[in-house]
Amino acid sequence: MLDLTKTPYNLSTEQIEYINNQVNKMTLSEKIGQLFFVIGQDEDTVDLKQFVNKYHPGGIMYRPDSADKLKREIKTIQKESKIPAFVAANLEAGGNGLLNEGTWFGRPMSVAATDDPKQAYNLGDISGYEAAQVGDNMSFSPIVDIDNNFRNPIMNVRTFGSDKNRVMKMVDSEVEGLKHNKVIPVAKHFPGDGVDERDQHLVSSVNSLGTDEWMNSYGQIYRHLIKRGLPAVMIAHIMQPAWERKLDPGIEDKDLRPASTSKLLIDGLLHQELKFNGMTITDATPMLGYTSMLPREQAIPATINAGIDMILFNKNIDEDYKFLTDAVNNGTVSMDRVDEAIRRILGTKLAQGIMNTDSELIQQIPEKLDLKLKDHQAKTADLAKNAITLVKDRDKILPVNSKKYPRVRLVVLGDSDDGGFKEGGHVTALFKEKLEAQGFKVSLFDRKNLDFHEVFEEGVQDLKDKFDLAIYVANIETASNQTTTRIDWIHLMAADAPWYMRSIPTLFISMCNPYHLFDIPDISTMINAYTGNPESIDAVVKKITGQEKFVGKSPVDPFCNRLDTRL
């Protein structure tokens, strides 16, 4: 039962009266609009004023764009909105989640590898500050998932690791950093990603833990955050069969649902068992994890009936609005359920300081942009210095220098834009530049134009005549809509694989996946950097050449619980 006088709202009598008045006077069209969190609209292709007045969106989420343009668009949207909108972005790794110019601070696993909550605060503070400069007021972070399965292709370095206690410690600090900038934290992805090895963008994935195991891990994290006043939770297209069966012992397998359409998991587990009183938002509903479970005309109403307050994104916006409007008109969704969702939405906007009881935007959007990029860059470099982890150096190859190893063969894997919504760090040119600045003569392995004589006919001495040290750099990012983040060698004879690693000193540096030892267990030297930004590349080169010590501690098991990876 919703209680606006309690955490996370703590509203006054005047504020609650305002909400009740709004609920009574809003049209059905306006109420339906508040339940949708739409994709950011582009002023170059859409009349923003017309869009707002037609759809009345309760929230809008933007992908990265230029700061000046975003600020102008957001100001237009807020000025035109009768009720100020949530404006959100994926601020998972820095202000670059919203701004092209923003700081790519570091992925959560980089932060966790320092084991320093101050770095997590910096993540929230830098992200929140830069985003708030253009009018953002909500972050689809922190990520509170646990990295339980090294084969999971979507979480990995996006998490704070596999230790629930470290996750809670880091999340608490990130939230404080966001709050310092009046940016609302939205914890994700309930009921918990990181167990399945599949991506909810492509399938309704499964959190297969038993109820006790779930409650002692994911449940403990959510309970902790709820007690600390967490205002909002993002609901994933992830199933949790054990809890659905516990809450409804007679449920048939065919009726099990991902959390985004499950009343058992939202009203039952989240609201009743975990006592969450705040607002809920789905993850993006164009994902196959959502669209594949029910016909969309059934899924949209089922989401609201489950106890979820806002629906993120549309396929066809007019169609989605009609599906929900028709469901209210024919009684599939009760007006009481709609009104409860409206109360949570308006209550959150009041409690989090977005608006006042005159429906006025009270969030201040600075007239002049000041992103503090130099200061944030220095903090980013400090994170990289303290995060990068030496996992293995069996043959004591490190440190290396240009006198001992003058000629370097540089092989870069995965340095591409393939995959959805990547952070975008291309590393080849910068690694080559940094190594050459240290005096190495660098020859780059060309994967697109293979030297067939070398691949098929040359032996160890032939390669020793060409280079003294091989440096492999893997930039294989976790990203949406891909099924794996494994190393994918050239299919012709694994032509780019280091078959010579027992004869020629070979380093392997992973920029964004801590688990590559699984695919190359016999490598002597493995380094995990977690984030492929320029600051991390600079720190890696300093560390392998002995200018800095390795101080990072792995937040996960990089050996993947296997014997051969440790040899």
Side-chain angles (χ1 to χ4, degrees):
M1 186 64 137
L2 175 62
D3 187 343
L4 293 173
T5 68
K6 292 184 178 179
T7 302
Y9 307 104
N10 303 309
L11 297 184
S12 67
T13 301
E14 178 191 2
Q15 289 172 317
I16 294 172
E17 184 179 352
Y18 161 79
I19 291 174
N20 290 334
N21 289 337
Q22 286 294 319
V23 168
N24 289 333
K25 74 179 186 181
M26 289 171 72
T27 66
L28 177 58
S29 176
E30 290 170 337
K31 289 180 179 181
I32 295 296
Q34 283 295 304
L35 304 185
F36 281 93
F37 216 114
V38 300
I39 187 68
Q41 299 298 303
D42 190 328
E43 64 184 8
D44 295 333
T45 57
V46 173
D47 183 327
L48 295 180
K49 293 181 179 180
Q50 185 181 53
F51 180 88
V52 170
N53 284 294
K54 179 178 180 181
Y55 295 110
H56 315 290
I60 189 162
M61 180 203 172
Y62 272 97
R63 298 289 185 186
D65 207 336
S66 70
D68 286 332
K69 182 181 179 185
L70 284 167
K71 180 180 171 182
R72 191 167 56 247
E73 290 171 335
I74 291 167
K75 276 191 166 184
T76 300
I77 289 165
Q78 294 292 35
K79 184 178 180 180
E80 206 63 28
S81 297
K82 289 183 180 179
I83 296 173
F86 293 121
V87 180
N90 276 336
L91 304 179
E92 297 179 3
N96 67 325
L98 178 60
L99 310 177
N100 289 341
E101 306 93 324
T103 301
W104 187 8
F105 180 68
R107 295 186 177 94
M109 197 169 285
S110 289
V111 171
T114 70
D115 203 26
D116 183 358
K118 181 183 176 182
Q119 298 287 2
Y121 178 87
N122 288 342
L123 171 58
D125 188 41
I126 290 170
S127 303
Y129 174 84
E130 292 182 1
Q133 285 285 300
V134 300
D136 178 278
N137 54 40
M138 177 176 276
S139 174
F140 288 159
S141 70
I143 292 174
V144 305
D145 298 305
I146 304 171
D147 199 33
N148 278 325
N149 188 339
F150 73 88
R151 291 183 175 89
N152 185 292
I154 186 66
M155 298 315 301
N156 199 304
V157 291
R158 294 173 66 208
T159 75
F160 287 113
S162 58
D163 179 352
K164 65 180 180 183
N165 294 314
R166 184 190 284 111
V167 171
M168 286 187 281
K169 178 173 68 174
M170 295 298 172
V171 165
D172 284 347
S173 292
E174 182 183 355
V175 166
E176 289 305 309
L178 290 168
K179 285 182 174 180
H180 181 248
N181 297 281
K182 296 182 171 60
V183 172
I184 304 167
V186 181
K188 64 183 184 184
H189 305 81
F190 183 86
D193 210 336
V195 177
D196 204 335
E197 62 185 80
R198 299 168 297 173
D199 174 10
Q200 60 158 331
H201 291 79
L202 300 173
V203 61
S204 296
S205 58
V206 180
N207 184 311
S208 56
L209 300 183
T211 55
D212 289 344
E213 190 179 4
W214 186 91
M215 193 58 81
N216 288 327
S217 53
Y218 293 90
Q220 188 173 339
I221 292 171
Y222 278 102
R223 270 192 167 154
H224 170 80
L225 293 171
I226 290 164
K227 287 179 181 178
R228 291 177 64 89
L230 179 70
V233 172
M234 177 174 280
I235 309 302
H237 317 307
I238 297 175
M239 304 172 76
Q240 219 304 319
W243 266 106
E244 284 203 299
R245 291 184 176 116
K246 181 172 182 176
L247 294 169
D248 182 4
I251 193 170
E252 296 185 41
D253 288 352
K254 66 181 180 60
D255 295 324
L256 296 171
R257 293 283 180 264
S260 50
T261 53
S262 171
K263 188 175 179 64
L264 291 170
L265 294 179
I266 305 307
D267 273 348
L269 178 55
L270 184 59
H271 288 155
Q272 295 179 34
E273 293 285 335
L274 298 178
K275 310 299 182 188
F276 180 62
N277 191 40
M279 188 182 75
T280 49
I281 309 166
T282 69
D283 208 333
T285 59
M287 293 182 186
L288 266 72
Y290 185 81
T291 61
S292 63
M293 290 301 288
L294 290 169
R296 197 167 181 89
E297 63 268 29
Q298 295 177 26
I300 294 291
T303 293
I304 301 301
N305 280 337
I308 297 169
D309 306 304
M310 300 191 76
I311 295 169
L312 181 61
F313 298 170
N314 307 97
K315 292 298 285 183
N316 180 305
I317 188 169
D318 294 306
E319 186 177 68
D320 282 355
Y321 272 50
K322 187 176 187 302
F323 287 153
L324 191 50
T325 302
D326 288 348
V328 173
N329 286 332
N330 66 29
T332 301
V333 175
S334 72
M335 188 56 73
D336 285 345
R337 171 76 270 270
V338 171
D339 288 348
E340 179 194 40
I342 297 297
R343 287 186 169 89
R344 290 185 191 274
I345 294 164
L346 299 186
T348 302
K349 291 179 178 181
L350 285 173
Q352 298 298 318
I354 292 176
M355 69 179 192
N356 59 25
T357 52
D358 292 320
S359 300
E360 296 170 336
L361 179 73
I362 58 176
Q363 175 192 12
Q364 297 296 315
I365 304 176
E367 285 300 321
K368 185 178 180 181
L369 284 172
D370 179 15
L371 299 178
K372 297 184 179 179
L373 295 178
K374 286 187 177 179
D375 177 52
H376 294 168
Q377 185 179 17
K379 290 179 178 178
T380 302
D382 183 68
L383 171 67
K385 179 179 179 179
N386 289 285
I388 293 165
T389 306
L390 177 61
V391 176
K392 180 181 178 183
D393 189 24
R394 181 190 63 226
D395 300 333
K396 307 301 180 187
I397 296 172
L398 297 177
V400 298
N401 60 66
S402 59
K403 290 183 179 180
K404 187 175 182 180
Y405 304 111
R407 301 167 302 167
V408 170
R409 166 65 62 86
L410 178 62
V411 185
V412 183
L413 310 172
D415 208 14
S416 73
D417 292 321
D418 185 46
F421 304 121
K422 289 190 174 187
E423 295 283 351
H426 286 207
V427 304
T428 303
L430 194 51
F431 254 109
K432 187 172 186 291
E433 174 189 322
K434 293 288 183 182
L435 290 168
E436 288 175 340
Q438 296 296 319
F440 296 102
K441 183 179 180 180
V442 179
S443 60
L444 187 64
F445 184 87
D446 189 347
R447 302 177 87 246
K448 295 182 179 179
N449 298 288
L450 294 179
D451 180 339
F452 285 93
H453 176 65
E454 177 179 299
V455 171
F456 287 105
E457 298 177 326
E458 291 186 359
V460 172
Q461 189 57 51
D462 296 301
L463 295 187
K464 284 185 175 181
D465 290 341
K466 295 180 180 181
F467 56 89
D468 310 294
L469 172 71
I471 297 179
Y472 275 71
V473 178
N475 194 34
I476 303 169
E477 294 186 76
T478 57
S480 61
N481 304 302
Q482 61 186 23
T483 57
T484 182
T485 49
R486 301 274 297 278
I487 296 173
D488 188 19
W489 305 113
I490 290 173
H491 297 172
L492 178 64
M493 295 287 293
D496 53 347
W499 63 268
Y500 47 78
M501 61 183 147
R502 292 284 183 171
S503 302
I504 300 175
T506 303
L507 311 181
F508 197 105
I509 301 162
S510 173
M511 297 308 300
C512 41
N513 188 322
Y515 299 120
H516 283 320
L517 272 176
F518 184 77
D519 285 323
I520 188 164
D522 296 311
I523 197 76
S524 166
T525 305
M526 173 65 70
I527 295 159
N528 282 335
Y530 313 107
T531 301
N533 57 8
E535 292 82 2
S536 294
I537 294 170
D538 185 58
V540 164
V541 173
K542 287 179 179 177
K543 290 178 189 300
I544 65 174
T545 55
Q547 299 171 65
E548 290 180 0
K549 292 183 178 179
F550 289 92
V551 294
K553 300 176 182 178
S554 182
V556 294
D557 174 16
F559 301 100
C560 307
N561 195 32
R562 295 184 65 90
L563 169 66
D564 56 340
T565 56
R566 296 179 180 273
L567 299 178

